[in-house]
Amino acid sequence: DQQVKQNSPSLSVQEGRISILNCDYTNSMFDYFLWYKKYPAEGPTFLISISSIKDKNEDGRFTVFLNKSAKHLSLHIVPSQPGDSAVYFCAAIVYTNAGGTSYGKLTFGQGTILTVHP
Amino acid sequence: SAVISQKPSRDICQRGTSLTIQCQVDSQVTMMFWYRQQPGQSLTLIATANQGSEATYESGFVIDKFPISRPNLTFSTLTVSNMSPEDSSIYLCSYTIWGTGTNTEAFFGQGTRLTVV
């Protein structure tokens, strides 16, 4: 059961334009959603997150939008730069507190390869 | 945020052998997570490691194959035992910082690229 889905395996964008990466989910219990960028031979780099009680979060060139009714989130990168070319993963967490310890396991989408052309 | 150092960064191993991957965090974290990324696939959680208790494994992963140690709040190891070519993957450790509102973040080590021949 793929609870987090990125249906577009790849996206190609011209430098300076907007990149829109999409993600759908099925579990309404997710509390947070996160976006990561990953280069080959490196660990994922955290970009931005959003709580399920919000519908937008912005950090510099990155904006994440959450539509809970549609169970859909998107990452907007504007303006896109060639250095943004990487694999982008969306991930979701169910927040758990057990014995005073807070934790949550990440469930990842399949990833979208973004290529930004100069 | 704490820095995670993971090693080795890569290794080529013979089938039937075992490899232990180390993850060091420069500050104390309660829960650490181990993930696997098989070629062309997404990241899949192997287990959750809490200091002072046995790791909790996800469906499809067992302790005999992936024993985990968590001796203190800054260190964890994952061992890939009796390796086969199907174990060739990138293995990653991670921890989460819980913020308020939109500030929740999760950080990863650099990954260990394992090739089993």
Side-chain angles (χ1 to χ4, degrees), chain A residues 31-43:
Chain A
D31 296 297
Y32 296 93
F33 301 90
L34 302 89
W35 283 95
Y36 287 86
K37 177 171 70 174
K38 188 177 185 301
Y39 296 115
E42 292 184 14

Side-chain angles (χ1 to χ4, degrees), chain A:
Chain A
D1 175 30
Q2 188 76 30
Q3 295 189 59
V4 179
K5 297 181 183 180
Q6 294 175 256
N7 292 316
S8 298
S10 63
L11 174 68
S12 183
V13 173
Q14 202 69 30
E15 180 179 8
R17 307 294 286 270
I18 185 172
S19 296
I20 300 177
L21 298 144
N22 294 302
C23 183
D24 297 296
Y25 63 96
T26 58
N27 187 350
S28 59
M29 300 300 292
F30 286 134
D31 296 297
Y32 296 93
F33 301 90
L34 302 89
W35 283 95
Y36 287 86
K37 177 171 70 174
K38 188 177 185 301
Y39 296 115
E42 292 184 14
T45 301
F46 171 77
L47 290 173
I48 192 169
S49 67
I50 188 168
S51 165
S52 62
I53 62 173
K54 304 285 186 180
D55 55 19
K56 178 182 176 181
N57 186 28
E58 191 171 355
D59 184 2
R61 296 187 297 116
F62 302 96
T63 303
V64 57
F65 295 92
L66 175 62
N67 182 335
K68 283 194 70 175
S69 61
K71 294 190 174 66
H72 177 83
L73 65 155
S74 60
L75 174 69
H76 293 210
I77 305 173
V78 56
S80 301
Q81 301 171 353
D84 295 330
S85 298
V87 180
Y88 287 76
F89 291 96
C90 69
I93 299 181
V94 175
Y95 174 81
T96 303
N97 188 294
T101 298
S102 302
Y103 67 97
K105 301 178 288 188
L106 286 164
T107 301
F108 282 86
Q110 308 94 313
T112 297
I113 301 171
L114 173 65
T115 304
V116 180
H117 298 283

Side-chain angles (χ1 to χ4, degrees), chain B residues 32-88:
Chain B
M32 291 182 70
F33 304 89
W34 286 96
Y35 290 84
R36 178 175 76 178
Q37 184 184 20
Q38 294 178 297
Q41 304 292 315
S42 185
L43 285 78
T44 302
L45 181 66
I46 297 171
T48 302
N50 193 4
Q51 191 265 336
S53 62
E54 276 205 359
T56 303
Y57 289 81
E58 297 299 304
S59 175
F61 298 96
V62 295
I63 187 171
D64 290 345
K65 177 66 176 177
F66 297 101
I68 288 172
S69 79
R70 187 82 204 278
N72 56 56
L73 292 174
T74 64
F75 188 76
S76 180
T77 68
L78 169 76
T79 299
V80 186
S81 303
N82 188 23
M83 288 183 284
S84 66
E86 291 72 34
D87 295 319
S88 298

